[in-house]
Amino acid sequence: MKTIIQNGTIVTATDIYKADLKIEQGAITAISNHFIPEKDDHVIDASGQYILPGGIDVHTHLAWPFQSTGTADDFVTGTQAAAAGGITSIINFTNPKKGQTLLDNLQEWKKKGESSLIDYGFHSIISEYTDHVLEELPILAEREGVTSIKLFMAYKGELMVNDREMYKIMKKAGEVGIITSIHAENGDLIDELVEESLAKGNTDPIFHAYTRPTITESEATGRALAIAEAANAHVYIVHVSCADALEKVERAKKRGVQAFAETCPHYLVLDESYLALPDFEGGKYVCSPPLREKWNQDHLWRGISSGLVSTIGSDHCPFRFEGQKTLGRDNFAKIPNGCPGIEDMFSILYHYGVQEGRISLQKFVEVMSTGPAKLFGLYPKKGSISVGFDADLVLFNPKIRREITKVKQYQNLDYNLYEGTVVQGAITRVLSRGEEIVRDGIVVGQKGRGQYLFRKKVANIEKTVTS
Amino acid sequence: MKTIIQNGTIVTATDIYKADLKIEQGAITAISNHFIPEKDDHVIDASGQYILPGGIDVHTHLAWPFQSTGTADDFVTGTQAAAAGGITSIINFTNPKKGQTLLDNLQEWKKKGESSLIDYGFHSIISEYTDHVLEELPILAEREGVTSIKLFMAYKGELMVNDREMYKIMKKAGEVGIITSIHAENGDLIDELVEESLAKGNTDPIFHAYTRPTITESEATGRALAIAEAANAHVYIVHVSCADALEKVERAKKRGVQAFAETCPHYLVLDESYLALPDFEGGKYVCSPPLREKWNQDHLWRGISSGLVSTIGSDHCPFRFEGQKTLGRDNFAKIPNGCPGIEDMFSILYHYGVQEGRISLQKFVEVMSTGPAKLFGLYPKKGSISVGFDADLVLFNPKIRREITKVKQYQNLDYNLYEGTVVQGAITRVLSRGEEIVRDGIVVGQKGRGQYLFRKKVANIEKTVTS
Amino acid sequence: MKTIIQNGTIVTATDIYKADLKIEQGAITAISNHFIPEKDDHVIDASGQYILPGGIDVHTHLAWPFQSTGTADDFVTGTQAAAAGGITSIINFTNPKKGQTLLDNLQEWKKKGESSLIDYGFHSIISEYTDHVLEELPILAEREGVTSIKLFMAYKGELMVNDREMYKIMKKAGEVGIITSIHAENGDLIDELVEESLAKGNTDPIFHAYTRPTITESEATGRALAIAEAANAHVYIVHVSCADALEKVERAKKRGVQAFAETCPHYLVLDESYLALPDFEGGKYVCSPPLREKWNQDHLWRGISSGLVSTIGSDHCPFRFEGQKTLGRDNFAKIPNGCPGIEDMFSILYHYGVQEGRISLQKFVEVMSTGPAKLFGLYPKKGSISVGFDADLVLFNPKIRREITKVKQYQNLDYNLYEGTVVQGAITRVLSRGEEIVRDGIVVGQKGRGQYLFRKKVANIEKTVTS
Amino acid sequence: MKTIIQNGTIVTATDIYKADLKIEQGAITAISNHFIPEKDDHVIDASGQYILPGGIDVHTHLAWPFQSTGTADDFVTGTQAAAAGGITSIINFTNPKKGQTLLDNLQEWKKKGESSLIDYGFHSIISEYTDHVLEELPILAEREGVTSIKLFMAYKGELMVNDREMYKIMKKAGEVGIITSIHAENGDLIDELVEESLAKGNTDPIFHAYTRPTITESEATGRALAIAEAANAHVYIVHVSCADALEKVERAKKRGVQAFAETCPHYLVLDESYLALPDFEGGKYVCSPPLREKWNQDHLWRGISSGLVSTIGSDHCPFRFEGQKTLGRDNFAKIPNGCPGIEDMFSILYHYGVQEGRISLQKFVEVMSTGPAKLFGLYPKKGSISVGFDADLVLFNPKIRREITKVKQYQNLDYNLYEGTVVQGAITRVLSRGEEIVRDGIVVGQKGRGQYLFRKKVANIEKTVTS
């Protein structure tokens, strides 16, 4: 049985054109100006709709233990939300326990992932340097298809590595074809600023922002890039939130560092003032790096437009308001750091980006799908719409207006960051390897149908990328 | 009758994948993992070959009167050379006579173009400001499909306009959807430097370079961008040759100017030292801006890689060595300014760019075809390989090594800029609207088969570009 | 007879210290911790006061015919105002008539200068290029001590030269030790923007600002610096008003251009909003370049502090409100361009600079006196307080607060730019070559006592500057 | 008894003029165009000579225990060498032992300093953070006149503090008027690069440079500046060796950080190639940061010229070749890090700076004396030649040529960095508080005559600096 999608407008990172699609055994086998369906074919009419590559979210924290709690979405609710939001692949972070090997930890996470509705892979977090770690890296890449790791420059005592450890890990990663993601904030400095703030009785959520000023992010970003340069390694700066940090990436790229930047939807449309909302409402917006002064947003959008930003990640790290965020009602430092995002990332980026004219529709596809696929070894199975690619597709009706609200969300949350926002366009269907997992905006795919993503090694990304 | 291309590897500005192509009535009607040809089908086997979108050269000077002479290629030899070199569309410059209207002039050029082997369009040069010009611009765009013009900041008395004229023309152009190309050199300053040099007896070709220092280009580039900003117009800086000028474009883009940069193959691989070759050999390399110090090349390549450079143009402005270049044997200022390029641009960019690892194959496609098509209103008929596009295709065998030499060229010239260079890869076939015009490297298309390109207006290029 | 100044605090561009001064025959002959005056000595008590080098204003337009009128101060009222304001030397602009030689014109101006109360020199404006001009330059420098000229990039038809002329003049100037001052605005572009504005009926003073956007200044600044670089000449950008133009100077300095920047008091403390004052009040603030958006001021102050700005000039180009500024009541383009400044420059810079902590007192001295003296060939007779220098001194009481008002001014004007501003500090006495010309804030010097300033050639200013 | 210096040319950071000087009780009491000496006066004829303020070297390591050894000069030989080299004040680093308080340590160093020939002060190094340190800072400043400290970002386990400690110390220092000097190299990264290098058998001195690439310096510099910004503290980057690090200082100054840069004579004239000299000669040139590629020198010189660099420090950290440098004959990591410089700094800067036209003589005075005096609280007793200043003076004959050689040096060393270099100009006499300590180039001052320098707190240095 084949699936035929008729009358839609296909969009890739470069092209927009009307054509019909044929899907067989989960993959796109033909694109034509007109297919005459055969009797048994499953025919989908995409008239008036865009057919976009499924979103790839390389920054998720499903089922993630953190600080005194854990994220509110597991691989079931989290991937339902993802699917509803046009995401067909995720790469989730692992989080090894003290003393646990990366490989042992990975097995635990692969187990967790089995309940996923969509395809899933992992970045291995390395929160503790040992020489053993260096020996595990080639095995991760070769045997497990885990070709990305993540290091933290903040959360000392919990996740943070020092510069020497960062260099050693990056160097080995570079040698074996692994890209290193960096959480770039100067943890040492932040810890002191937090302590200062609390000592003065400044405990409201807004002080989360004041104790993590942009300089703590841009400093760490510059440092990570310098170390990557010395280590001759690919480096990926996650969740760039401000102009200063982005400029550090730009300068590194110019001197030839294989450096890449991600930003997140909340940095593009929300700002620091949300943290000052009364009645602890600000607590909902606590994530790290914090939301920034509004003027930074233009720099981030321009970075997307110019190619300086390679990807959008949701940094989906959800905590419920009641019972989780409220842990920090009297002390911002106890608010779990993280915001939801996976379900609305696609809509937010389309609305504020494409609809409002900041980026082209092709650029939207590039940062939502093609860019992440190429950087993280999923290309050319994922990340575009061409013959031979997996039929991970989103049908999107740009004519519909809809309101974002917690009432309708799949996220296991009692609030939504964008509550009440009216956006242009709606996801009508989502296909994952040819199977409809969302129909009429309703998730219909079954949990556990997702497949593990064994990923390719990182290549010279700015240069030759071939299949 | 259909044409089927089997077993090739299709390349777009974003994707590389194996598939078969079906061509009907000059256009791509289907792409599939496998086509079973029917009896009458014309079948082309592309095993082991890349299938690339035909090159689009938006910078040609065929049949172009200039200085005391005229270019050596007309629309017959020039488009034969183009076809042999993988170019399936050109946009040639017009050159109005004193007192002639743009529209009258255009008709003359459209007449000239009728002998073309490949599809052709025109940029209208405006070398003389009159109020009448402003009235002609909307007619050019609406009725003639000429949606680009060109202004010169050099060649005073012949082509140069002043800043006020430039502003007025750009402003009107911006209003009616026309993009303005700029030859950015400070003609005033150059004229004086040339006079100084000749007065000192410095008459050799190398003084062509010394009297047009990079500062004359970067100054004019900055000025053109400032004027475009004031005029709220799209601006396209042709033949950027040096780091300083490119930086001006970068800074303008950052402040939101709709600015775009082109560079040329000779600036990427040749340098100033060629102008100092003995026995007047240097005369062959005289073009404007001149070849630069070698270190500039890295900046240009990085500009392509990062997206700062949007297109490669050949600036094909050919003069024979004997009888044309030699006019300036005793006085570099009498050497006709211009170099050939249309036949080798594709190969040079592939070899030094893709083969040597400076850019990806997708980026090659972007600057050779997709970028020019989008900027100059040919998209989405030209510029990519997707269903619905014209079947302008190049079959390219990356395994073959070949030598560039004047002996085998179609260009009507007695020399080749790259004589003796051995490059990787060879164009085996070229299709223009589905018709084979090059077979086994031999031009087989007929002159006069090219069609006039009626072009769309320029849109907000960095942002939403839709079909 | 000697003059002894006792108990004051002497300030130079580097030092602040308490000491007594001895003055003989117009010059400083000794500085001591204590002088015991002799019987006939003229003793001045400077207790509690700063003794500062007299201000040197290298940007004045006294008795200057311009546009349809002429400036309101001649050498009598203008130099009285200067003296009252702590200025002991001026360099005024000439303004040759069409067809007149620079030397003939200079004689006329030297005649005009004879009524001056303070020492005076001239910059020769070159508003018309002829080959003869190049021959006059060495004579100006050698025989007349005029070692600076000025060129305009705006006011086409009246003052503007083109790029080629600018280059030729700068080159010759550089060869003979003359520094070239530049009025950097793109006149061509401005003329068109003005015409556009008027055609739309936008005739209020604020449109003076809108039709001279910063880009017209920064473009021209960049161009002048590029041409100076090609010409290997010293260049001095007068009245830098905005961050963008200042950045051009900074970049030029970095690449080794002998480039210098002046700013004016009104750009440091007034802003564009003044041009929008109702009832044509805005007309009082019309000068070129126009007042800018307020945020530029920080960049100018920081430029002074860092050494990027070498001098403060008043650009004293005064027009009465009634009868002069009001010429443009119905058309901003008819408002004479220029603002007063010579009388209040010193106070404004002290108050907003030193008093409010933006610059040190030594830096104040540097930009008000030492810098201009060194750049314009008056050093080491003028510009500092050391043995051997002319006794051009200002006694300044930093304890007094006073209000600036037209009621008390010497300027021949019916308004004051800073009306009602209360500033800290007051000039109590001014000495010119040892003679008291201001006593208790009252001008007591006689007109005509000023001497012509025969100036030295410009040297390699950033490098070795010796006596 | 008075001292009269006749017929010399006095130079300050702003002025050069001929005058006579009168010295009484160690201070300058008068400057005059002519003094008639009285009978008992000590008269010095300075005809044909410059009279310059004594050099102030704020970066010395006399009697300094380091790594496995200690520096070769104590306060006797070191200050003899200093005096011979025109230095009349030093600020030496302390070096507390583990567990020792800063104040206890300071007393030990003050004791050591008592044998000094010239005036001396101390920067307290803080190599170990304890809360107690923060309590000592105000005492250091108030009671001891120690208004500068130093922190290291390298030499982990020995001297290095982490970012949090750096912030806390800087913050307190800023509050109490202490400036923080920073040794900015990323120690973590360097330690690993050194280990890598040694593991590969790369043990020659040149690997000292290769394992401390400029990125390790520029990264740390940027980090220190970011932390100083957060801490709102004055920061002084010692021994800036390369363009990248200097640019970091420039950018910090622009955003308003109270940041200052020092460079050293060896970075201005020597380069990385010296480390590759055969037969372990390279070992003589091992210091940290290492000598850099030659192109960096232009940036450093331009930084001095433009005011970006505030001071020249010798970083005199001398080790004998035999027995000290040779400790690392088989392992560059065992070569004591440090080079001599105090005796030749003055001559080297004059020759390569002033004589060769890179900087003015006034700028020489500024970075050698006035700048250090102002930054480190010695002004206005030290740092200039004006009435009331200490008579710390250097008589310098610019006509003499002389050769630098270890044979004639006072430094307790068996080599000289500049052996055989012929420089223009010679120091003939040096006065310290009016007393001749060098006569005819011979040190005649007695050890122990130096006085302890109780220093003022740091003020807003770029802004108002008054006496």
Side-chain angles (χ1 to χ4, degrees), chain C residues 191 237 321 449:
Chain C
D191 288 349
I237 309 296
F321 182 65
R449 63 163 298 288

Side-chain angles (χ1 to χ4, degrees), chain C residues 38-213:
Chain C
E38 297 178 26
K39 188 180 172 198
D40 290 341
D41 287 354
H42 174 45
V43 178
I44 296 172
D45 180 34
S47 299
Q49 303 201 49
Y50 291 129
I51 305 170
L52 306 162
I56 298 174
D57 187 352
V58 299
H59 195 148
T60 66
H61 293 271
L62 302 183
W64 207 66
F66 186 46
Q67 296 177 322
S68 65
T69 180
T71 53
D73 279 313
D74 59 17
F75 279 81
V76 177
T77 61
T79 59
Q80 285 174 331
I87 307 299
T88 52
S89 298
I90 57 169
I91 309 181
N92 204 67
F93 292 106
T94 69
N95 200 347
K97 296 157 194 155
K98 293 283 166 198
Q100 190 181 36
T101 67
L102 299 179
L103 288 161
D104 284 352
N105 179 256
L106 179 65
Q107 303 323 314
E108 288 185 12
W109 281 93
K110 284 171 79 171
K111 194 78 194 163
K112 287 196 199 188
E114 287 174 4
S115 59
S116 182
L117 183 78
I118 59 174
D119 295 348
Y120 59 95
F122 296 100
H123 311 283
S124 285
I125 283 177
I126 302 176
S127 57
E128 202 177 20
Y129 177 80
T130 62
D131 289 339
H132 198 263
V133 154
L134 302 189
E135 294 165 28
E136 290 187 284
L137 291 182
I139 305 172
L140 278 178
E142 300 281 350
R143 195 184 77 193
E144 300 288 349
V146 170
T147 53
S148 54
I149 54 174
K150 185 177 184 188
L151 305 178
F152 286 79
M153 299 170 82
Y155 302 113
K156 198 168 190 169
E158 199 171 355
L159 293 165
M160 177 171 157
V161 293
N162 71 27
D163 292 356
R164 185 172 189 169
E165 293 163 352
M166 196 185 337
Y167 169 80
K168 287 204 280 194
I169 294 169
M170 276 190 177
K171 185 152 190 265
K172 188 67 179 181
E175 288 166 6
V176 302
I178 284 176
I179 188 168
T180 304
S181 294
I182 298 289
H183 177 115
E185 290 190 302
N186 187 315
D188 242 28
L189 190 45
I190 288 167
D191 288 349
E192 180 61 22
L193 292 172
V194 168
E195 192 171 309
E196 266 183 17
S197 184
L198 295 177
K200 289 183 196 156
N202 294 329
T203 60
D204 286 346
I206 187 64
F207 291 97
H208 176 72
Y210 295 167
T211 57
R212 302 178 100 94

Side-chain angles (χ1 to χ4, degrees), chain A residues 351-376:
Chain A
H351 183 78
Y352 291 99
V354 181
Q355 179 67 23
E356 298 199 343
R358 293 183 179 91
I359 59 171
S360 70
L361 188 51
Q362 294 102 318
K363 180 59 79 176
F364 171 88
V365 167
E366 187 175 324
V367 293
M368 279 292 297
S369 185
T370 317
K374 288 181 177 174
L375 269 172
F376 289 97

Side-chain angles (χ1 to χ4, degrees), chain A residues 15 254 302 360 384 463, chain B residues 15 254 302 360 379 384 463:
Chain A
D15 293 335
K254 280 204 185 159
R302 189 154 293 166
S360 70
S384 195
K463 297 177 185 172
Chain B
D15 294 333
K254 281 202 183 162
R302 189 154 293 166
S360 69
Y379 192 85
S384 194
K463 298 177 185 171

Side-chain angles (χ1 to χ4, degrees), chain A residues 264-280:
Chain A
C264 307
H266 37 291
Y267 301 120
L268 290 165
V269 302
L270 305 177
D271 63 66
E272 193 182 87
S273 67
Y274 286 77
L275 287 156
L277 288 176
D279 298 329
F280 197 64

Side-chain angles (χ1 to χ4, degrees), chain D residues 410-431:
Chain D
Y410 284 89
Q411 297 172 148
N412 177 30
L413 289 175
D414 52 359
Y415 76 103
N416 184 299
L417 274 194
Y418 309 101
E419 188 66 35
T421 302
V422 176
V423 291
Q424 189 69 30
I427 293 165
T428 57
R429 291 183 200 239
V430 179
L431 281 73

Side-chain angles (χ1 to χ4, degrees), chain A residues 9 12-20 22 24 28-35 50 247 250 253-256 302 305-308 353-355 357-363 370 374 379-380 383-389 460-467, chain B residues 9 12-20 22 24 28-35 50 247 250 253-256 302 305-308 353-355 357-363 370 374 379-380 383-389 460-467:
Chain A
T9 298
T12 71
T14 185
D15 293 335
I16 304 180
Y17 60 100
K18 283 183 176 280
D20 293 355
K22 185 189 292 179
E24 292 169 295
I28 298 163
T29 53
I31 300 173
S32 170
N33 58 351
H34 185 51
F35 282 122
Y50 291 130
E247 198 200 353
E250 185 179 22
K253 278 176 175 274
K254 280 204 185 159
R255 53 181 207 264
R302 189 154 293 166
S305 175
S306 74
L308 177 54
V354 181
Q355 179 67 23
R358 293 183 179 91
I359 59 171
S360 70
L361 188 51
Q362 294 102 318
K363 180 59 79 176
T370 317
K374 288 181 177 174
Y379 192 86
S384 195
I385 299 178
S386 286
V387 166
F389 280 71
N460 194 333
I461 290 160
E462 281 200 346
K463 297 177 185 172
T464 307
V465 180
T466 63
S467 57
Chain B
T9 297
T12 71
T14 186
D15 294 333
I16 305 179
Y17 61 99
K18 281 182 179 279
D20 292 356
K22 184 189 295 178
E24 292 167 296
I28 298 163
T29 53
I31 301 174
S32 171
N33 59 352
H34 185 53
F35 281 123
Y50 289 130
E247 197 200 355
E250 185 178 24
K253 278 176 174 276
K254 281 202 183 162
R255 54 181 205 267
R302 189 154 293 166
S305 176
S306 74
L308 178 55
V354 181
Q355 179 67 24
R358 292 184 181 91
I359 59 172
S360 69
L361 187 52
Q362 292 103 314
K363 181 59 80 176
T370 316
K374 287 181 176 173
Y379 192 85
S384 194
I385 299 178
S386 286
V387 167
F389 280 70
N460 194 332
I461 290 160
E462 280 200 346
K463 298 177 185 171
T464 308
V465 181
T466 63
S467 57

